[in-house]
Amino acid sequence: RLGFAGRFALRSQARSPAFAVMQITALAIALMALLIILLLRQDLLKTWQGNVPVDAPNRFVINIQNDQRDALTQDLAVAGLGKPELYPMVRGRLVEINNRPVMQSDYSKDNARRLVDREFNLSYTMDLPGGNQVIAGNWFKQDEPQISIEVGIAKTLGLKLGDRLAFEIAGEIVSASITSLRALEWGSMRVNFFVIMPPVLLQDLPQSWITAYYQPPNIDVLDFRLTQRYPNITVVDVANSLQQIQDVLNRLGAALGLLFTFTIAAAILVLFAAISATQDERFRDAALLKAVGASSPTLATIASIELAIVGGLAGLLGGFAAALAAWALGHFVLEIEFNSFASSIAMGVAFGLVACAIAGYQFQRKIQRATAVDCLREA
């Protein structure tokens, strides 16, 4: 019975290939929209939210002088915030790339033009900072002139390994070649630098220090005490900004949930319309099968196979298209990695089969209960 039902279902689809393609395509588009919303809410959005830890730093302290480092570190430790890590920061302007002067007119994009028109925050260390990953070249092995640069800014300015950069710092020119490109975890809210050099290049130049820490709400007067004791420092409170971002993400999640509900209904309605458009042909087939003695279970098997073909193919196409769209959105817009192609396709097939089963249930039951004469009358 299963072999006959399968052959009959395939031939039924093959009789009207154009309409079968239209059915599958229409449902695939609806499923793609459904899955994109689901992936945005469940995968990309949660990944984006998850990039910011609960105890992410919400205070940045800048312009700390050399003679204030130990005292300020002690103050933060006494306040119960642990021992923060301080990073040296040297201000410098990029003036040459491969011995050619840097000009705003060399760049067409506004972001690149702004970067070369301002000073960079440079830093120095021999240890790869936490949250930094070398994706090209090699990290510093010796304290000699070399540069490590963040991959995003390298792309913006058209820089690559081996390019020689020159920075003007307090009237002095410091130059070295790029030996590594780094990817940073910007969502961690830690102190990050676009450009890092070994100590030999920057440690003797004018510099200040910067740190970041998490300050609980119950000690909010710490900001005031620090600025009173060290009038030259600046404490930047980003807690409100982080809360606003979280509120926006929560509202976006709620909106996507509402769209998810409407899209489910749209997918089922699309399939209802597709099945209704072929009901006359289905009634004629049922009448023929009943006339030659086909049982209700056989008709049910044929209907199930037809719906499975439509739902499976539509889900496969919709799942793959949704995964591709989510990957592009994550990679090019949100700058986060998306690796759920398999789960997207699996969900697409599952949703396609379920949608087909729901949409075809009442219609197939009507065919199975009707006699051959009733089927002919309906057709």
Side-chain angles (χ1 to χ4, degrees):
R1 185 182 73 184
L2 185 60
F4 166 75
R7 290 193 299 272
F8 192 90
L10 289 172
R11 288 174 182 173
S12 295
Q13 294 293 323
R15 280 202 303 267
S16 304
F19 195 81
V21 170
M22 184 181 70
Q23 273 185 304
I24 293 171
T25 303
L27 182 59
I29 292 173
L31 288 174
M32 180 184 71
L34 171 68
L35 288 169
I36 288 176
I37 293 172
L38 183 63
L39 291 171
L40 280 173
R41 185 180 183 186
Q42 299 298 325
D43 198 316
L44 294 180
L45 195 56
K46 284 188 175 180
T47 301
W48 196 8
Q49 289 175 310
N51 282 342
V52 181
V54 176
D55 59 347
N58 56 11
R59 299 292 192 280
F60 287 83
V61 185
I62 60 176
N63 201 35
I64 305 167
Q65 301 304 305
N66 286 326
D67 58 354
Q68 297 173 330
R69 290 169 53 196
D70 294 339
L72 187 140
T73 299
Q74 182 65 25
D75 288 343
L76 293 178
V78 170
L81 303 181
K83 184 179 180 180
E85 189 169 0
L86 276 69
Y87 303 88
M89 187 168 67
V90 179
R91 302 281 289 177
R93 184 181 296 275
L94 180 63
V95 292
E96 288 184 358
I97 299 176
N98 293 326
N99 300 318
R100 289 185 55 192
V102 175
M103 307 291 292
Q104 274 190 303
S105 57
D106 295 336
Y107 301 94
S108 58
K109 294 184 178 180
D110 291 339
N111 190 28
R113 294 165 69 92
R114 285 194 297 269
L115 283 171
V116 299
D117 190 46
R118 65 173 179 81
E119 290 185 322
F120 282 71
N121 291 323
L122 315 174
S123 188
Y124 61 85
T125 180
M126 286 300 296
D127 300 319
L128 182 65
N132 287 239
Q133 180 183 3
V134 176
I135 61 172
N138 298 295
W139 182 250
F140 310 145
K141 294 181 179 179
Q142 296 179 335
D143 191 4
E144 58 187 26
Q146 51 193 310
I147 290 175
S148 177
I149 192 166
E150 191 266 336
V151 64
I153 199 171
K155 182 178 179 181
T156 300
L157 298 180
L159 303 174
K160 61 184 184 302
L161 291 175
D163 284 349
R164 189 169 187 83
L165 309 183
F167 292 89
E168 183 179 356
I169 304 170
E172 295 188 27
I173 300 297
V174 173
S175 63
S177 297
I178 299 174
T179 57
S180 65
L181 301 177
R182 292 171 292 115
L184 307 182
E185 293 181 6
W186 292 108
S188 67
M189 300 300 295
R190 287 180 290 200
V191 176
N192 286 309
F193 293 94
F194 286 133
V195 180
I196 298 178
M197 303 181 194
V200 68
L201 286 173
L202 301 177
Q203 63 185 351
D204 296 328
L205 294 171
Q207 61 192 266
S208 61
W209 296 77
I210 180 174
T211 189
Y213 60 88
Y214 173 73
Q215 179 173 302
N218 61 329
I219 55 172
D220 55 350
V221 296
L222 179 61
D223 296 355
F224 177 75
R225 293 205 304 265
L226 289 177
T227 53
Q228 287 295 304
R229 183 170 181 183
Y230 311 101
N232 59 288
I233 70 168
T234 300
V235 180
V236 181
D237 181 359
V238 297
N240 291 333
S241 298
L242 289 174
Q243 186 58 49
Q244 289 177 355
I245 292 173
Q246 189 63 48
D247 290 342
V248 170
L249 292 177
N250 290 337
R251 292 174 185 174
L252 180 59
L256 290 175
L258 184 62
L259 286 175
F260 179 75
T261 303
F262 282 117
T263 309
I264 288 177
I268 294 176
L269 288 174
V270 166
L271 198 56
F272 265 125
I275 292 175
S276 298
T278 59
Q279 65 179 351
D280 290 344
E281 184 178 349
R282 293 177 185 273
F283 273 118
R284 283 194 295 270
D285 289 342
L288 175 62
L289 292 171
K290 285 178 177 289
V292 297
S295 63
S296 292
T298 300
L299 292 177
T301 303
I302 292 173
S304 298
I305 293 175
E306 284 192 55
L307 291 173
I309 292 172
V310 173
L313 288 177
L316 187 67
L317 294 173
F320 180 77
L324 193 62
W327 172 84
L329 181 62
H331 184 74
F332 295 108
V333 179
L334 302 179
E335 296 185 355
I336 58 178
E337 291 302 319
F338 173 80
N339 299 304
S340 300
F341 278 86
S343 61
S344 176
I345 293 173
M347 285 191 296
V349 173
F351 282 141
L353 294 176
V354 171
C356 285
I358 294 173
Y361 177 73
Q362 289 295 336
F363 184 73
Q364 296 304 327
R365 285 195 63 184
K366 182 179 178 181
I367 289 179
Q368 293 171 35
R369 291 178 176 178
T371 64
V373 174
D374 293 333
C375 288
L376 287 173
R377 286 174 179 167
E378 289 285 348

